[in-house]
Amino acid sequence: MNERWRAIPAVADLMAAKETFWCNDALRPFAEVEQEMGRADIADAAARLQRFAPFIQKAFPETVEEQGIIESPLREIAATKEGMKALGAVPEGRLFLKMDSHLVVAGSVKARGGIYEVLKHTEEIALAEGLLGEDGDYAKLTDHRDVFAGYTVQVGSTGNLGLSIGITSAAVGYRVVVHMSNDAKQWKKDLLRSKGVEVKEYAGDYGKAVAEGRALSDADPKSYFVDDEHSVALFLGYSVAGKRLRAQLEEQGVIVDAEHPLFVYLPCGVGGAPGGIAFGLKQEFGDHVHCFFVEPVQCPCMIAGLATGEGEKICVQDLGLSGVTEADGLAVGRPSGMVTRMMQPLLSGCSTVEDGRLFDALRVLHECDDVFIEPSSCAALAAWQDMAKFEKAKEYIRCHGLAEKMPHATHIAWATGGRLVPEEIRKEYLVKKL
Ligand SMILES: *Cc1c(COP(=O)(O)O)cnc(C)c1O
């Protein structure tokens, strides 16, 4: 089995834990793919978030200014683009940071999918329990904590999904249990416990925490399990980002069309967050957007699943890798099969990065643009730089007829977490060199 995989050049690099760039030969024109997939589901998710906006405002006062819509800024980071040149060549075109790292409530990209799924479940219970009344005022749901306290929400997590589900569920009133893998940082467990969330810790990796959590939840009829590997709701919650990003680009006068390509770099763990966002972006921009995922060299589960065609049947340990990385948000050894199948015709490619580059990028971004993000997020900046680093990336640009368009290109590094990192740990990260 191993020998067959080794014949695929990108997989041979993965097995040697070498940084690599994998180009997706199965990428298809979006018009073809679109015929098989709808966009209605994304609109449904966006509408549900809108209905819940009055509730969100009341439950999370920090969202009042944005009228209960949880969205992150899009910021040009021209100084970082210059600063990154000290680490190697950089691609032509403007560089922006999509700051999901700073999303309110959950402090990470998980605020999109996680909050959405908890709200969708809450709507189902509210309708079944007759809590929404004639006027359908969602703000009134904050008066029914006693009802929600009779229900449990559970989730398995490397950290950030647990924070998002835990904080949101606790705000609705649910009993919450978060099953944490051994990669989860102590401060994330402490923060959850301070919100009254029950945190169970497992010696094994993420897959184990999920399996245990799922089994415990399934045994309890009043318990709901948020399933990162299979959840369509999570995926759709993430995909709402596409339309919102289009509005932000328009606001900033950034054009995306055949002459002005858009490149987006998304850090990938199990695949739900980057997959859902990429799905939403392809619906908006079709072939004009080029989506790239990025993973740690010791934990490249998505490339492994896509490049070998094995999907969720392969894990990084099958390739002789440890799965251990400083990028805790990306420490997932087995990809979501659902996401590998969705991404097969839509993803442009994927690269892997050594942990040391995450901290190098973290410092440059902090020094040049005064933004702090967590190590997992920094993979997005490394992936942007990879477009100028790898021959395979340059080949992608040539093969898609993009070479002469690169001066008018827009690149977005999708920062996925950071806001909630405590001050002492920020200081540690800012001086860390590997
Ligand atoms: C969860 C997470 C990701 C990746 O999301 P997946 O759905 O696991 O692929 C990326 N960055 C951070 C900071 C995360 O917490």
Side-chain angles (χ1 to χ4, degrees):
M1 202 67 150
N2 267 5
E3 289 317 306
R4 182 160 58 82
W5 292 335
R6 207 186 292 275
I8 307 166
V11 180
D13 286 348
L14 295 188
M15 293 171 91
K18 260 171 55 183
E19 290 196 327
T20 191
F21 184 95
W22 170 76
C23 208
N24 180 19
D25 295 331
L27 174 67
R28 286 162 57 202
F30 185 69
E32 272 178 42
V33 183
E34 195 181 22
Q35 294 189 331
E36 299 151 29
M37 296 178 174
R39 78 156 57 195
D41 292 343
I42 302 182
D44 179 56
R48 184 165 291 105
L49 287 169
Q50 194 68 52
R51 284 201 292 285
F52 265 100
F55 169 85
I56 294 174
Q57 274 190 65
K58 222 167 138 196
F60 301 106
E62 65 266 44
T63 66
V64 168
E65 211 170 303
E66 306 297 329
Q67 276 118 44
I69 296 299
I70 297 171
E71 191 46 72
S72 72
L74 174 70
R75 180 172 152 190
E76 182 159 22
I77 45 170
T80 296
K81 179 183 168 181
E82 281 309 302
M84 290 289 283
K85 289 180 182 167
L87 302 175
V90 302
E92 290 178 280
R94 292 168 78 182
L95 175 63
F96 287 76
L97 193 69
K98 179 59 177 159
M99 297 171 72
D100 280 9
S101 47
H102 291 66
L103 279 170
V104 291
V105 181
S108 80
V109 67
K110 305 293 193 308
R112 297 185 184 279
I115 293 176
Y116 174 70
E117 178 150 5
V118 171
L119 295 179
K120 182 165 188 291
H121 177 59
T122 300
E123 188 174 58
E124 281 156 15
I125 293 180
L127 289 170
E129 297 265 7
L131 304 179
L132 273 168
E134 285 285 287
D135 59 357
D137 181 359
Y138 281 61
K140 285 193 190 136
L141 291 177
T142 53
D143 303 334
H144 296 291
R145 295 184 57 86
D146 53 322
V147 179
F148 293 111
Y151 294 87
T152 303
V153 174
Q154 309 201 43
V155 64
S157 174
T158 61
N160 285 336
L161 184 63
L163 283 180
S164 166
I165 301 288
I167 292 170
T168 316
S169 302
V172 176
Y174 295 110
R175 175 176 167 250
V176 200
V177 187
V178 176
H179 304 267
M180 288 280 202
S181 63
N182 56 2
D183 306 286
K185 303 284 185 217
Q186 189 60 41
W187 68 265
K188 294 184 182 176
K189 299 177 199 167
D190 296 342
L191 179 63
L192 279 171
R193 290 192 172 117
S194 78
K195 307 242 173 216
V197 172
E198 192 181 323
V199 178
K200 290 198 184 221
E201 298 176 55
Y202 295 87
D205 69 359
Y206 172 78
K208 191 151 192 166
V210 171
E212 294 279 334
R214 189 186 287 133
L216 280 172
S217 186
D218 288 351
D220 176 356
K222 293 200 109 179
S223 175
Y224 180 81
F225 187 69
V226 177
D227 193 331
D228 207 6
E229 290 168 1
H230 308 104
S231 172
V232 175
L234 268 179
F235 191 85
L236 288 174
Y238 290 120
S239 68
V240 171
K243 204 171 239 359
R244 294 189 182 170
L245 183 76
R246 170 187 283 283
Q248 288 183 322
L249 286 168
E250 279 169 7
E251 240 166 62
Q252 302 202 26
V254 176
I255 301 168
V256 179
D257 60 19
E259 296 307 312
H260 303 79
L262 175 63
F263 290 77
V264 182
Y265 308 97
L266 297 146
C268 180
V270 73
I277 292 168
F279 181 68
L281 291 171
K282 293 301 280 191
Q283 303 272 340
E284 289 303 317
F285 303 109
D287 297 331
H288 307 322
V289 65
H290 306 269
C291 298
F292 294 90
F293 289 178
V294 53
E295 299 179 293
V297 284
Q298 285 293 341
C299 212
C301 68
M302 187 56 65
I303 309 190
L306 285 169
T308 62
E310 299 282 346
E312 75 276 36
K313 292 201 231 18
I314 194 170
C315 71
V316 299
Q317 284 78 13
D318 294 336
L319 299 179
L321 300 170
S322 69
V324 176
T325 168
E326 291 282 340
D328 55 331
L330 315 182
V332 178
R334 191 183 295 280
S336 156
M338 177 186 89
V339 176
T340 57
R341 286 181 283 278
M342 298 280 286
M343 286 301 111
Q344 192 85 60
L346 298 178
L347 191 65
S348 292
C350 192
S351 61
T352 60
V353 297
E354 282 175 6
D355 281 7
R357 284 177 69 204
L358 305 178
F359 292 98
D360 295 341
L362 188 149
R363 279 193 308 279
V364 172
L365 178 65
H366 187 258
E367 275 162 28
C368 299
D369 278 290
D370 197 24
V371 178
F372 174 88
I373 60 177
E374 67 185 75
S376 300
S377 297
C378 297
L381 283 168
W384 161 74
Q385 195 150 38
D386 284 346
M387 292 309 289
K389 173 173 170 162
F390 287 99
E391 266 323 303
K392 280 259 169 207
K394 294 177 199 164
E395 198 181 302
Y396 177 93
I397 290 170
R398 278 195 305 274
C399 290
H400 287 81
L402 298 169
E404 62 288 0
K405 299 173 185 168
M406 290 311 279
H408 326 289
T410 300
H411 302 267
I412 298 181
W414 208 285
T416 44
R419 180 191 184 107
L420 299 179
V421 179
E423 194 50 46
E424 323 81 77
I425 296 179
R426 290 184 184 218
K427 284 196 191 126
E428 252 174 58
Y429 286 161
L430 284 166
V431 294
K432 191 155 182 157
K433 287 190 183 168
L434 295 179

